[in-house]
Amino acid sequence: MSKKKRSFSELFHEWDEDRIDLTQELTRAGHSSSERPQRREWTPQHIRSIEEREVRYFRRLYPALAVILTLVIVGTLMLAVTSLPRFGSADNPGVNEVMERYVESGMEETGAVNIVAGIILDYRAFDTLGESFVLFTAVSAVLILMLVPASEPAP
């Protein structure tokens, strides 16, 4: 009495439940590796010729792309520079009513002798507080990392 040929899914479920050794069952059931479709083997010469062709194509394409990208970046930067206002002109963002107010009435409004200190500590206090917080956090993190003992070397 011969056993009926089981399908691969049946064999897989039995193997998944640890009832059979799948490699032995597949060999007994006649499922050999010769039933798999054969792939065409590539020789090293084919692989080498394809790789050489791709490298040659890349070597020709890379300098052209690098020049194009460089020209685009330089052109964008030059366009940005040409749209800037002239140095010292009245429409320059550095010359406006805020600067005039800081210079003319900064000492009376802040009570500081130094205009720069008055601007930093009074007019821009929240911005300075944020920058101080970031610096304090960075210094704290570095100090914590420096105080951590070195781990023991692996055996």
Side-chain angles (χ1 to χ4, degrees), residues 27-102:
T27 312
R28 262 190 240 135
H31 296 281
S32 66
S33 62
S34 62
E35 292 178 13
R36 295 182 190 149
Q38 294 294 321
R39 293 185 184 173
R40 180 176 171 226
E41 293 294 324
W42 287 75
T43 61
Q45 184 178 9
H46 284 98
I47 294 171
R48 239 182 284 129
S49 67
I50 290 172
E51 289 175 351
E52 287 173 1
R53 199 172 346 143
E54 290 174 354
V55 167
R56 272 185 271 142
Y57 179 72
F58 181 73
R59 282 186 180 165
R60 273 188 266 140
L61 187 64
Y62 181 76
L65 289 176
V67 168
I68 291 170
L69 182 64
T70 303
L71 290 175
V72 167
I73 291 172
V74 167
T76 304
L77 291 174
M78 290 303 227
L79 185 64
V81 167
T82 58
S83 65
L84 289 174
R86 292 191 174 267
F87 181 75
S89 67
D91 62 340
N92 196 336
V95 182
N96 56 23
E97 63 276 353
V98 176
M99 186 215 38
E100 292 172 7
R101 178 172 176 159
Y102 286 167

Side-chain angles (χ1 to χ4, degrees), residues 77-150:
L77 291 174
M78 290 303 227
L79 185 64
V81 167
T82 58
S83 65
L84 289 174
R86 292 191 174 267
F87 181 75
S89 67
D91 62 340
N92 196 336
V95 182
N96 56 23
E97 63 276 353
V98 176
M99 186 215 38
E100 292 172 7
R101 178 172 176 159
Y102 286 167
V103 171
E104 291 173 2
S105 59
M107 292 182 75
E108 295 115 24
E109 289 179 357
T110 63
V113 179
N114 188 344
I115 294 177
V116 175
I119 291 171
I120 291 174
L121 298 175
D122 288 331
Y123 291 124
R124 299 185 52 148
F126 288 117
D127 184 38
T128 304
L129 180 67
E131 292 170 359
S132 301
F133 178 73
V134 168
L135 287 173
F136 175 75
T137 305
V139 168
S140 300
V142 168
L143 287 175
I144 289 171
L145 289 174
M146 289 175 66
L147 295 176
V148 172

